[in-house]
Amino acid sequence: MPKMKTKSGAKKRFKLTASGKVRAAQSGKRHGMIKRTNKQIRNLRGTAILSRPDARIVRKFLPYG
């Protein structure tokens, strides 16, 4: 059997933790920072763990992750 291909877009955007959860960058910081509070901007730094329904979809794109 040939290997399954990983979606290259998902490969760049998501990482799996050691326990199998999906880690992704926080959304909402591309533009429009003036209307966001400083607290919002601060909390959107770094990465977050995806919710389980979202993670199930992403896991299909990362078959060997």
Side-chain angles (χ1 to χ4, degrees):
M1 286 286 297
K3 292 181 183 176
M4 290 175 67
K5 286 196 172 179
T6 298
K7 294 284 185 191
S8 60
K11 177 171 51 177
K12 295 168 193 172
R13 289 174 173 82
F14 304 106
K15 291 266 190 302
L16 294 181
T17 63
S19 60
K21 295 179 180 173
V22 181
R23 182 189 302 275
Q26 294 271 15
S27 59
K29 277 202 72 176
R30 294 294 183 192
H31 56 82
M33 293 301 106
I34 289 174
K35 61 182 84 165
R36 309 213 195 294
T37 63
N38 286 332
K39 181 180 178 182
Q40 263 182 314
I41 294 170
R42 198 167 53 243
N43 288 336
L44 289 174
R45 273 187 214 140
T47 57
I49 302 294
L50 260 55
S51 64
R52 286 189 56 195
D54 289 340
R56 280 188 63 202
I57 295 166
V58 171
R59 295 286 307 235
K60 291 177 183 168
F61 298 141
L62 302 168
Y64 297 109

